[in-house]
Amino acid sequence: MPTLNAQTAEEIIEIYIENIGGQKAWSKIESMKVIGVGRQQDVDYPFVATYMKDGRRIVDINLQGNSFIFDAFDGESAWAMNFNTQNSEALDAETSLNTKNSANDYLPDAFMNYKEKGYKVELLGKEAFEGTECFKIKLTKIPVLVDGIEEENIETYYFDTENYVPIAMESIIKYGQGKGATMQMLLSDYQEVDGLYISFSQIQKFNGQIGLELTTKTIEFNTEVDNNIFKIPEEIETKKN
């Protein structure tokens, strides 16, 4: 992975994009299928996550042999399965709008085409993160709506100064059960797949406590995807009308 003597946030991001495969190579990716295992409260569960270039996505986890849609976005509406009822439910309009505004942050991440998205980056200096010297970069994204009011949407990233890849991200949860908590995502085990580099290990922490561990087994790019998997089930559409 090549590195340069970067001095600005823009230069650091430019080197990072080049290090993970380059803008041109990533622009050819239409879909990404991630197969792995999640671990939460000492329980392991397989998952399959499919992300499309246009922002559609679906995360399907296996709970005791049964498929459970944890998170889905069809391009306009967000939906998921209710853990208690096991029924699919459309999420509210505000959640769908917030989801739509960040839908293109998964292939591969928020820094790809960040200027076109209206995001801004700022270098806050150098800082050690868990013993590793890092560039600390502030990413300001499109504001999120919280009960109809726009709130700032900021993520702080720690880029390893040796490899110019993020090893951690921090943000404040704006809504839901964890509202107000500090969320950390620790990124490691960068591996090469078809000339592109991506993190195969993520650990999500809430106020310093591990909440979720994700271990990727395989990543497939540009495989055939059934577009119907992203659509809201008919029973949801009936409820909405």
Side-chain angles (χ1 to χ4, degrees), residues 102-147:
S102 63
N104 295 113
D105 290 353
Y106 294 85
L107 194 58
D109 61 24
F111 290 104
M112 188 65 67
N113 300 315
Y114 72 93
K115 292 180 181 179
E116 288 83 349
K117 296 173 186 175
Y119 298 175
K120 296 180 181 179
V121 295
E122 178 185 354
L123 178 60
L124 302 180
K126 288 184 179 180
E127 185 175 316
F129 185 90
E130 296 188 352
T132 299
E133 184 183 53
C134 295
F135 295 112
K136 187 176 181 180
I137 292 182
K138 174 182 175 182
L139 176 67
T140 302
K141 302 168 65 174
I142 295 173
V144 295
L145 282 177
V146 181
D147 297 326

Side-chain angles (χ1 to χ4, degrees), residues 12 111 124-130 132-138 155-161 164-170 184-187 190:
I12 293 167
F111 290 104
L124 302 180
K126 288 184 179 180
E127 185 175 316
F129 185 90
E130 296 188 352
T132 299
E133 184 183 53
C134 295
F135 295 112
K136 187 176 181 180
I137 292 182
K138 174 182 175 182
E155 295 174 350
T156 304
Y157 287 80
Y158 295 84
F159 280 73
D160 179 350
T161 57
Y164 285 68
V165 294
I167 62 171
M169 182 275 284
E170 294 178 339
Q184 278 186 335
M185 183 67 79
L186 309 185
L187 309 165
Y190 280 82

Side-chain angles (χ1 to χ4, degrees), residues 55-215:
R56 290 176 296 161
R57 70 174 184 265
I58 187 165
V59 180
D60 188 341
I61 66 178
N62 187 300
L63 295 178
Q64 299 179 334
N66 296 313
S67 173
F68 180 87
I69 305 303
F70 176 76
D71 176 45
F73 179 65
D74 65 6
E76 292 295 333
S77 300
W79 61 279
M81 290 182 71
N82 184 300
F83 184 79
N84 294 317
T85 66
Q86 298 295 300
N87 293 325
S88 298
E89 295 181 356
L91 304 184
D92 60 78
E94 185 172 272
T95 299
S96 288
L97 180 59
N98 287 332
T99 300
K100 186 174 184 178
N101 285 340
S102 63
N104 295 113
D105 290 353
Y106 294 85
L107 194 58
D109 61 24
F111 290 104
M112 188 65 67
N113 300 315
Y114 72 93
K115 292 180 181 179
E116 288 83 349
K117 296 173 186 175
Y119 298 175
K120 296 180 181 179
V121 295
E122 178 185 354
L123 178 60
L124 302 180
K126 288 184 179 180
E127 185 175 316
F129 185 90
E130 296 188 352
T132 299
E133 184 183 53
C134 295
F135 295 112
K136 187 176 181 180
I137 292 182
K138 174 182 175 182
L139 176 67
T140 302
K141 302 168 65 174
I142 295 173
V144 295
L145 282 177
V146 181
D147 297 326
I149 299 173
E150 285 191 351
E151 293 195 11
E152 65 179 9
N153 188 8
I154 293 173
E155 295 174 350
T156 304
Y157 287 80
Y158 295 84
F159 280 73
D160 179 350
T161 57
E162 181 179 353
N163 298 306
Y164 285 68
V165 294
I167 62 171
M169 182 275 284
E170 294 178 339
S171 64
I172 303 298
I173 299 175
K174 296 294 185 180
Y175 46 80
Q177 267 189 326
K179 183 177 181 180
T182 297
M183 190 277 285
Q184 278 186 335
M185 183 67 79
L186 309 185
L187 309 165
S188 61
D189 191 20
Y190 280 82
Q191 296 186 30
E192 182 266 334
V193 181
D194 297 338
L196 304 175
Y197 288 83
I198 196 163
S199 167
F200 269 57
S201 177
Q202 296 93 39
I203 297 176
Q204 195 173 46
K205 292 184 176 182
F206 299 93
N207 289 336
Q209 301 298 312
I210 295 177
L212 177 64
E213 298 175 70
L214 297 173
T215 301

